[in-house]
Structure formats: structure tokens, C-alpha cells
């Protein structure tokens, strides 16, 4: 089986046997010579190796042309929306700087709204990273920086001052460092099995906020299921449920397109499932397929929403089939380029399985018409935070995100080496805070360039559609 996922190097080495804890920690400290922690706070726009607008426009090549204007319009709404859609811009910027060389499986787009709650196979709610379109091996600090900047940009979006943003970044980085120090002393299996459940997440918030957060989670838990989606997104036609059109968000496909998805893409996806889950999938029948528009940065990538029905006739299952391309980190990651023979959908799912504490039972991948796709359940109790909810509680939520990111990196990298690099002082935290403020300023300038491009007509946008 070919793979588009370059392996994360084992911390133990292959030929010479296990490396001692002292040697692993020393390798982390030695990485400070490669890039001093203080240097992580550096940002100079003049050193950029690329033009941000050109980088974003280059992504149009693999997207549906008729949807690209919607993407540009969504990104133009605010600096926060721009940041969400501009992972490729930041990837190019990060790659231009020296890196630690301490490799993990990157989430790749670890901004604050890409953390959320969803159901484990046992139907427990787990707080975890949730978006892996850009997952790829790379230096651990790239994820740390992307999350830190997102806290500053989100704070500014809601009129919160620099002091609030700085406190949130500091709390998040300190949580990451503290958790990584704990993982550095734990057995591998303890790290692998560690998770943050919904009740634990509520505990990060102040007592005055815990009730509101708990009520919000419980409401979403009950509604965000396949049964909830059936009630909200379908109408009965000819005695069968059909997904309701809502152009351009959801568009009905003709019979030939639906047959290609059901007969080829889903058939190939089925083979990527574990044997027991394949048997479960076989108990469902495709009822309807529509094309869907999702997210901000993802707009233009082909996404399908599939409704399947179980044998009882009252047992819906919604799957989302999303086009996958090369990670924005692939051209510049020290891990090297992915195999041209591999599946980008497989890259996403394998990264997801490495990083998450528990993964949806229906995740898999397939291809159609030369394009790769990955598959997951639609909603499945997924609770995605909104900035309006978390902005007043940014430090608490950021702390939880920092701990989750540390676990992801400890699972896929060497926590002892990373802890050795981080050290016990404030050098790393201070540097990330400086970078977050400077790059948030840069993001505002990049957003202004995008808005100017739309106004000048050099960037196509859908002026009547905001989304």
C-alpha cells in the first residue's frame, strides 16, 4: 500500500538500539543551537520568500472554479476569516525561518477554532484537534505558532485588548510546556491513552462560566447527530428523504454524478475501512448525494454530503466526502515531499489517527476522476466553538488547546527532546508571545491586500454572498 504520509522519525533510532533519556533531552537542548528560543519571536516582512496573495491564488488550480469567488469573499470579511483561510501563507512564512528540527505530526492548521468536542467510538465526548486537511510531519513549533497567532487575531476580532490576547497566549504556551514536561516522564502507552473529555474541558473555565458552557455542550450534543441532520437538512420526496437544496451551500447532483460517487468513490472508500466497520457500513444504502460548501479556506475544494439509510428505514447516516490535496507544508517541510503515488486522502486520515486520542469509526479515503477524497461522519456530536462564546474566556479555552496540542506532539514526536528544548524558564513563552503579536499585525496587512485586490478586480469574489 503506497502512502502520501512521510513517516515521523522514531525517537529511538533504528540501528544502534534505544537512545537514553539523557541523550534524548540533550538532543532537544542541542536544537537551541540550530534555532535559539529567543529567535522564535522574530518576524520580518521583508524576509518573505513569497507574495501572500499569489500564494492564495495559486491554490485555485485544484478547486472548482465556480466556487473560488465565494472563498475569496469569505476570506475578505475580516482579518480573522482571512487567517482561517490563509494556512498556505503562514506555511510559506514559517518555512523561510530556521526551525528546531524536532519533528512531530503537525495538525497543520492548529488555529483556535480547529479544536472542539466530538464523539469517540464509545460515544463519549472528547476535546481534541478536529481539522487535518494540512497534516504533515514538521517542526513542533509551527503548530505552536499558528495556534498562538490565532488567539491574538481572535481577540482583536472581538475588540479585546493586547493585554487579554497576551494573557491568553501566555496561558496557552505555559499549558503546552507544562503538559509536555509531564509527558516527558510518562510511559508511551500513558501518553497514547491520555485524553480530555467534556467534563474535564468544563473544568478549565471559571466557576461562573461553567454552567453556561455545560448547557451549550449538552444542547449541541443532542442536536449534532445524523438524526438531527435528517430533521434539519432533509425533506420527504416520493416517500424517501432527500437533502434539501440551498444554493450555493448545497446543490443537488444529477443521477450520473451520484452514480459515480456511490459506485466508485464510496466503493473504494469501503475498502479503506477496518473489516468490522466495513461490515457495519454494508448495512447502509445510499439515498441521496449533494455537493456542499464548507469552511473558509476549504471553499472550492469539492465536498459531498451523502445520506445513507440503515436496514430499519429509520436509521440515517450522513457522511462527508471532502477533496484532499497536498498539504501546504509539503513543499517546504524538512520531512521531505510526499510520494507522488500516494493518496492525499490517506495522508489526512493517517495524520488524524496519529494525532487524535480517538477517531470516528467511519473515517477512510477514496478517489474519483483523478481527485483524492477523505471521508468522515458529518456532525456526529461534533461541537465546534464560536469565537463569540470563547472570546471572553480566551485564556481558559487556550489553556485546554495548549494541553491537547502537547498531547498530539508527544504522541507523534519525542516529548523528552521537545521538553529539553523548551526548558524551565520563560524564554520560549516570551518568544511565542512576541511572534504572535507581530504576525497578527502581518495578517491584518495581508487581509488588507486581499480586500484591495477584490476592489481592484484582480481577485474574483462573490460580492452578494458573504456566508
Amino acid at each position: 500500500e503506497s502512502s502520501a504520509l512521510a513517516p515521523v522519525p522514531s525517537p529511538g533510532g533504528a540501528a544502534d538500539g534505544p537512545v537514553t533519556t539523557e541523550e534524548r533531552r540533550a538532543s532537544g537542548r542541542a536544537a537551541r543551537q540550530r534555532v535559539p528560543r529567543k529567535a522564535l519571536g522574530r518576524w520580518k516582512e521583508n524576509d518573505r520568500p513569497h507574495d501572500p496573495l499569489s500564494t492564495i491564488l495559486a491554490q485555485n488550480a485544484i478547486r472548482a472554479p465556480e466556487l473560488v469567488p465565494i472563498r475569496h469573499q469569505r476570506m475578505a470579511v475580516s482579518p480573522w476569516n482571512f487567517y482561517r483561510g490563509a494556512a498556505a501563507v503562514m506555511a510559506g512564512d514559517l518555512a523561510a525561518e530556521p526551525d528546531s528540527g524536532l519533528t512531530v505530526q503537525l495538525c497543520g492548521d492548529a488555529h483556535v477554532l480547529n479544536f472542539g468536542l466530538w464523539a469517540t467510538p464509545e460515544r463519549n465526548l472528547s476535546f481534541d484537534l478536529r481539522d487535518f486537511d494540512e497534516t504533515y510531519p514538521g517542526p513542533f513549533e509551527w503548530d505552536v505558532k499558528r495556534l498562538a497567532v490565532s488567539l491574538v487575531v481572535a481577540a482583536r476580532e472581538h475588540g479585546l485588548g493586547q493585554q487579554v490576547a497576551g494573557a491568553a497566549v501566555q496561558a496557552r504556551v505555559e499549558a503546552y510546556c507544562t503538559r509536555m514536561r509531564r509527558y516527558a516522564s510518562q510511559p508511551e502507552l500513558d501518553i497514547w491513552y491520555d485524553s480530555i473529555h467534556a467534563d474535564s474541558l468544563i473544568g478549565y473555565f471559571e466557576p461562573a462560566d461553567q454552567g453556561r458552557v455545560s448547557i451549550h455542550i449538552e444542547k449541541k450534543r443532542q442536536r449534532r447527530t445524523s438524526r438531527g441532520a435528517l430533521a434539519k437538512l432533509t425533506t420527504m420526496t416520493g416517500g424517501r428523504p432527500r437533502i434539501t437544496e440551498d444554493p450555493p451551500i448545497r446543490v443537488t447532483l444529477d443521477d450520473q454524478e451520484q452514480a459515480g460517487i456511490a459506485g466508485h468513490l464510496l466503493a473504494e472508500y469501503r475498502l479503506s475501512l477496518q473489516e468490522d466497520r466495513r461490515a457495519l457500513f454494508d448495512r447502509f444504502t445510499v439515498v441521496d448525494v449533494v455537493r456542499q460548501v464548507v469552511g473558509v479556506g476549504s471553499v472550492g475544494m469539492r465536498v459531498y454530503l451523502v445520506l445513507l439509510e440503515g436496514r430499519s428505514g429509520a436509521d440515517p447516516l450522513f457522511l462527508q466526502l471532502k477533496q484532499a490535496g497536498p498539504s501546504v507544508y509539503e513543499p517546504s517541510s524538512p520531512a521531505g515531499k510526499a510520494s507522488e503515488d500516494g493518496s492525499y486522502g490517506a495522508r489526512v486520515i493517517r495524520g488524524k489517527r496519529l494525532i487524535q486520542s480517538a477517531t470516528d469509526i467511519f473515517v477512510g479515503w477514496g478517489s474519483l476522476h483523478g481527485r483524492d477524497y477523505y471521508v468522515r461522519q458529518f456532525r456526529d456530536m461534533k461541537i465546534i466553538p464560536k469565537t463569540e462564546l470563547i472570546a471572553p474566556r480566551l485564556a481558559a479555552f487556550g489553556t485546554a488547546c495548549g494541553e491537547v496540542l502537547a498531547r498530539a506532539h508527544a504522541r507523534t514526536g519525542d516529548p523528552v527532546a521537545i521538553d529539553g528544548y523548551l526548558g524551565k524558564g520563560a524564554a520560549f513563552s516570551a518568544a511565542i508571545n512576541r511572534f504572535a503579536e507581530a504576525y497578527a499585525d502581518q495578517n491584518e496587512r495581508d487581509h488588507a491586500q486581499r480586500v484591495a485586490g477584490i476592489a481592484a478586480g484582480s481577485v474574483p469574489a462573490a460580492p452578494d454572498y458573504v456566508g
Side-chain angles (χ1 to χ4, degrees), residues 109-432:
D109 192 15
H111 68 68
V112 69
L113 291 193
N114 276 342
F115 293 76
L117 289 159
W118 56 17
T120 68
E122 299 78 21
R123 315 312 291 160
N124 298 315
L125 275 181
S126 178
F127 182 70
D128 216 326
L129 283 154
R130 67 171 193 87
D131 190 296
F132 304 94
D133 287 12
E134 310 301 346
T135 185
Y136 206 77
F140 82 95
E141 68 270 17
W142 290 2
D143 267 352
V144 173
K145 285 185 171 184
R146 182 128 179 96
L147 175 55
V149 175
S150 77
L151 291 169
V152 178
V153 178
R156 293 179 181 182
E157 176 81 357
H158 292 275
L160 303 177
Q162 182 175 348
Q163 185 174 358
V164 173
V169 172
Q170 184 171 346
R172 200 276 307 174
V173 177
E174 288 179 354
Y176 178 93
C177 294
T178 300
R179 196 80 162 193
M180 189 63 71
R181 190 170 304 122
R182 192 183 93 180
Y183 289 136
S185 64
Q186 284 188 334
E188 296 290 348
L189 288 178
D190 287 4
I191 298 171
W192 194 262
Y193 288 129
D194 193 25
S195 62
I196 296 177
H197 293 288
D199 292 344
S200 300
L201 174 65
I202 294 169
Y204 284 89
F205 294 88
E206 295 294 328
D209 291 326
Q210 289 179 2
R212 181 181 178 187
V213 173
S214 179
I215 291 171
H216 175 79
I217 290 173
E218 189 55 36
K219 285 182 178 179
K220 293 290 186 180
R221 182 207 297 259
Q222 296 174 11
R223 296 174 183 171
R224 297 188 69 82
T225 63
S226 283
R227 290 188 182 92
L230 184 73
K232 183 176 181 180
L233 301 180
T234 67
T235 54
M236 297 300 292
T237 304
R240 301 294 296 274
R242 292 289 184 267
I243 302 173
T244 307
E245 269 203 302
D246 182 20
I249 302 301
R250 291 186 301 277
V251 178
T252 298
L253 305 179
D254 60 36
D255 292 343
Q256 185 176 358
E257 288 180 293
Q258 291 207 33
I261 292 169
H264 185 87
L265 177 51
L266 285 177
E268 190 171 309
Y269 151 74
R270 175 184 175 276
L271 297 177
S272 73
L273 293 171
Q274 292 179 193
E275 185 175 352
D276 59 331
R277 295 168 185 183
R278 192 182 309 158
L280 174 60
F281 177 74
D282 287 344
R283 297 183 178 186
F284 290 85
T285 302
V286 175
V287 174
D288 198 13
V289 184
V290 299
R291 192 182 71 180
Q292 188 179 34
V293 173
V294 298
V296 177
S298 296
V299 176
M301 300 296 271
R302 293 156 182 85
V303 182
Y304 301 105
L305 181 62
V306 181
L307 169 60
L308 303 98
E309 193 173 77
R311 295 181 296 182
S312 70
D315 189 12
L317 170 64
F318 282 88
L319 296 179
Q320 186 181 80
L321 288 55
K322 188 174 183 182
Q323 182 185 351
S327 167
V328 295
Y329 294 92
E330 182 176 319
S332 52
S333 172
K337 292 189 176 182
S339 167
E340 293 181 0
D341 297 327
S343 162
Y344 292 122
R347 171 188 62 78
V348 173
I349 296 304
R350 289 172 180 156
K352 179 183 178 75
R353 286 172 173 164
L354 281 169
I355 290 171
Q356 283 189 313
S357 59
T359 302
D360 171 15
I361 64 172
F362 281 113
V363 295
W365 62 87
S367 61
L368 182 66
H369 303 318
R371 301 185 185 99
D372 293 332
Y373 294 81
Y374 69 90
V375 182
R376 63 186 180 191
Q377 285 191 70
F378 178 66
R379 296 192 171 175
D380 189 36
M381 295 168 60
K382 296 179 182 68
I383 303 173
I384 303 167
K386 294 185 177 181
T387 52
E388 293 83 359
L389 177 67
I390 65 174
R393 307 159 183 85
L394 209 54
F397 192 78
T399 296
C401 294
E403 295 197 355
V404 164
L405 189 61
R407 193 210 64 237
H409 289 175
R411 280 169 64 108
T412 63
D414 185 350
V416 175
I418 295 173
D419 182 51
Y421 180 84
L422 296 174
K424 296 181 179 179
F428 181 77
S429 176
I432 297 300

